[in-house]
């Protein structure tokens, strides 16, 4: 990666003022996930029966070497963190109401993520205000309680009279999320839809509706002038935070269930019947959330005046060239990152020119500006250095 920064002074400040470049380029967050280490996973389930309905999901986590602790309402106070650190590496909330868990608030969950914890939230059409408000903290808007995603054109045979149980093959093709499994097939879905601002660079849709999917109250005539429909109705959303914590929000609890994972979808003949893609898709989602894939690190960070040598101090209006080597953790080892969509940016700047992984920018004379290298829709990692 090669990038350029032009230090500028446009607001009447002293043109001889100096800015110090502190070289801190590194993948932010803890490094435990990159080495394939076991994680501690805390699972909050709104009813004990959900443990058995989602046994494959939980057994998959355990077979991956992770320590899984399951908590249900009524089992005392749930503590997400101590004064110094999170109690777990990942938090799974399979519930419609966060208030059912004594000791857990929206603020606690946000602090958990701010400290680098990873998060999965799954709800359904009975979602309560506490979970709606939690999603809103991440820029996600759930459809109102009672509404469901509906698709009359793609119902599941066993539920052919219930258009709220349908299949979708609209899986995000971004390799960082699903890799070769992006064409895994049909995912069985029943639940609520969501949306988020398309301008958000931190959020990505993992699963969306088909052209015939829409959001409404089942059995009622659609009278609204604006209805979420087609790819606008997001079913599962992913977030890569700036501290490299990851979060996934699903509008369906049943999508992760054994029943939906084991469902056989009919083909044109009995010999062409296939299993749903739910198990494969859910496994890939958990791998991404638990940072077992699509993790980057940067090393060998160098800087210098363009056409000159490395400096310990740079003057305003100096053009600074910097280099770094980026690697990706793939199947247990670090390999050179092959992406061609790395960008370099700086907060509070007005980009003057930027193409691919090379950016020339004018920065105001301020301390604490943050240089950021990112990939695509931020589906891998943020790599950061600071101007101090």
């Amino acid at each position: 990666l090669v990038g350029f920064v032009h230090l500028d002074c446009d607001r009447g400040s002293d043109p001889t003022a100096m800015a110090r470049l502190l070289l801190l380029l590194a993948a932010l967050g803890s490094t435990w996930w990159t080495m394939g280490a076991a994680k501690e996973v805390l699972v909050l389930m709104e009813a004990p029966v959900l443990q058995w309905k989602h046994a494959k999901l939980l057994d998959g986590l355990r077979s991956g070497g992770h320590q899984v602790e399951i908590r249900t309402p009524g089992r005392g106070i749930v503590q997400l963190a101590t004064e110094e650190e999170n109690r777990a590496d990942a938090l799974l909330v399979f519930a419609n109401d966060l208030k059912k868990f004594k000791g857990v608030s929206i603020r606690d969950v946000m602090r958990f993520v701010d400290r680098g914890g990873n998060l999965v939230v799954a709800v359904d059409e009975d979602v309560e205000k506490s979970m709606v408000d939690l999603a809103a903290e991440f820029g996600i808007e759930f459809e109102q309680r009672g509404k469901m995603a509906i698709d009359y054109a793609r119902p599941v045979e066993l539920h052919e009279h219930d258009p709220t149980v349908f299949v979708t093959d609209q899986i995000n093709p971004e390799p960082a999320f699903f890799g070769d499994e992006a064409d895994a097939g049909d995912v069985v879905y029943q639940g609520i839809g969501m949306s988020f601002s398309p301008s958000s660079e931190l959020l990505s849709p993992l699963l969306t509706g088909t052209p015939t999917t829409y959001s409404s109250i089942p059995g009622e005539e659609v009278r609204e002038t604006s209805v979420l429909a087609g790819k606008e109705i997001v079913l599962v959303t992913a977030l890569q935070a700036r501290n490299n914590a990851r979060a996934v929000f699903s509008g369906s609890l049943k999508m992760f269930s054994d029943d939906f994972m084991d469902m056989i979808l009919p083909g044109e003949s009995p010999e062409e019947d296939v299993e749903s893609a739910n198990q494969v898709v859910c496994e890939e989602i958990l791998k991404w959330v638990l940072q077992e894939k699509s993790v980057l690190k940067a090393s060998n960070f160098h800087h210098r005046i363009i056409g000159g040598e490395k400096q310990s101090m740079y003057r305003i209006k100096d053009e600074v060239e910097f280099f770094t080597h980026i690697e990706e953790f793939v199947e247990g080892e670090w390999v050179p990152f092959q992406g061609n969509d790395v960008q370099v940016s700086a907060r509070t700047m007005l980009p003057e020119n930027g193409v691919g992984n090379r950016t020339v920018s004018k920065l105001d004379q301020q301390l604490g500006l943050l240089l950021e290298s990112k990939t695509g829709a931020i589906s891998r990692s943020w790599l950061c250095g600071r101007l101090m």
Side-chain angles (χ1 to χ4, degrees), residues 5 42 62 128 138 187 196 231 270 286 304 307 313 364:
V5 174
L42 176 59
R62 296 187 183 101
E128 296 285 352
F138 291 83
V187 178
F196 59 84
K231 286 196 172 185
L286 288 179
R304 68 187 183 191
M313 301 283 285
D364 292 330

Side-chain angles (χ1 to χ4, degrees), residues 74-223:
R75 288 188 55 196
I77 296 176
V78 178
Q79 187 180 22
L80 299 185
T82 65
E83 289 289 335
E84 293 81 21
E85 60 184 4
N86 289 339
R87 285 191 56 245
D89 302 310
L91 173 65
L92 276 60
V93 184
F94 281 33
N96 283 310
D97 190 359
L98 195 63
K99 291 183 178 180
K100 288 185 177 181
F101 300 95
K102 190 175 182 181
V104 180
S105 65
I106 293 175
R107 182 180 179 183
D108 294 326
V109 176
M110 296 304 296
R111 185 184 298 116
F112 178 87
V113 175
D114 286 343
R115 286 179 167 180
N118 303 301
L119 174 69
V120 177
V121 172
V123 301
D124 60 27
E125 67 276 11
D126 294 322
V127 61
E128 296 285 352
K129 186 176 184 300
S130 60
M131 299 303 281
V132 172
D133 291 344
L134 175 61
E137 292 289 336
F138 291 83
I140 298 168
E141 182 178 356
F142 280 123
E143 284 284 78
Q144 70 184 57
R145 178 185 170 94
K147 283 190 173 183
M148 297 186 72
I150 296 173
D151 198 325
Y152 280 93
R154 307 199 71 188
V156 174
E157 188 176 68
L158 294 175
H159 302 266
E160 59 182 344
H161 299 299
D162 184 357
T164 67
V165 184
F166 61 92
V167 296
T168 177
D169 58 359
Q170 299 300 302
I171 302 171
N172 192 324
E174 164 59 47
F177 291 123
F178 296 107
D180 295 336
E181 305 298 344
D183 57 355
D186 288 331
V187 178
V188 183
Y189 191 89
Q190 184 180 34
I192 195 170
M194 67 191 82
S195 60
F196 59 84
S197 171
S199 65
S200 173
E201 63 178 5
L202 302 181
L203 295 168
S204 300
L206 295 187
L207 187 70
T208 64
T210 71
T212 53
T213 308
Y214 67 96
S215 177
S216 184
I217 298 176
E220 292 191 7
E221 182 181 351
V222 179
R223 297 180 179 178

Side-chain angles (χ1 to χ4, degrees), residues 1 18 39 41 59 96 107 193 200 216 235 237 247 319 328 333 346:
L1 172 68
M18 308 294 284
K39 291 120 182 130
V41 182
D59 289 345
N96 283 310
R107 182 180 179 183
S200 173
S216 184
L235 307 177
T237 299
E319 289 192 340
E328 183 173 8
E333 62 180 357

Side-chain angles (χ1 to χ4, degrees), residues 177-309:
F177 291 123
F178 296 107
D180 295 336
E181 305 298 344
D183 57 355
D186 288 331
V187 178
V188 183
Y189 191 89
Q190 184 180 34
I192 195 170
M194 67 191 82
S195 60
F196 59 84
S197 171
S199 65
S200 173
E201 63 178 5
L202 302 181
L203 295 168
S204 300
L206 295 187
L207 187 70
T208 64
T210 71
T212 53
T213 308
Y214 67 96
S215 177
S216 184
I217 298 176
E220 292 191 7
E221 182 181 351
V222 179
R223 297 180 179 178
E224 300 177 57
T225 56
S226 60
V227 175
L228 279 183
K231 286 196 172 185
E232 290 183 354
I233 179 169
V234 181
L235 307 177
V236 183
T237 299
L239 175 139
Q240 170 88 44
R242 293 183 187 276
N243 67 346
N244 279 333
R246 292 175 174 178
V248 167
F249 285 78
S250 169
S252 175
L253 281 163
K254 291 183 178 179
M255 189 186 89
F256 296 90
S257 69
D258 291 6
D259 285 347
F260 279 24
M261 288 184 181
D262 293 337
M263 194 170 291
I264 301 299
L265 304 177
E268 294 183 3
S269 66
E271 293 76 19
E272 295 179 341
D273 291 354
V274 295
E275 285 189 350
S276 74
N278 287 57
Q279 183 164 352
V280 171
V281 167
C282 292
E283 286 176 353
E284 294 302 314
I285 287 174
L286 288 179
K287 287 179 183 178
W288 184 83
V289 169
L290 294 174
Q291 310 217 17
E292 296 176 358
K293 59 187 295 185
S294 303
V295 177
L296 306 180
K297 75 173 181 179
S299 59
N300 300 325
F301 184 57
H302 303 290
H303 60 96
R304 68 187 183 191
I305 294 288
I306 293 179
E309 298 180 351

Side-chain angles (χ1 to χ4, degrees), residues 27-91:
L28 292 185
S30 302
T31 58
W32 50 262
W33 64 72
T34 63
M35 306 314 294
K39 291 120 182 130
E40 295 183 9
V41 182
L42 176 59
V43 184
L44 305 184
M45 291 188 155
E46 66 179 5
V49 70
L50 290 182
Q51 299 179 51
W52 319 121
K53 289 186 175 182
H54 296 79
K56 282 193 170 185
L57 182 82
L58 299 174
D59 289 345
L61 288 171
R62 296 187 183 101
S63 64
H66 307 310
Q67 301 177 35
V68 179
E69 179 185 355
I70 300 173
R71 299 294 297 270
T72 55
R75 288 188 55 196
I77 296 176
V78 178
Q79 187 180 22
L80 299 185
T82 65
E83 289 289 335
E84 293 81 21
E85 60 184 4
N86 289 339
R87 285 191 56 245
D89 302 310
L91 173 65

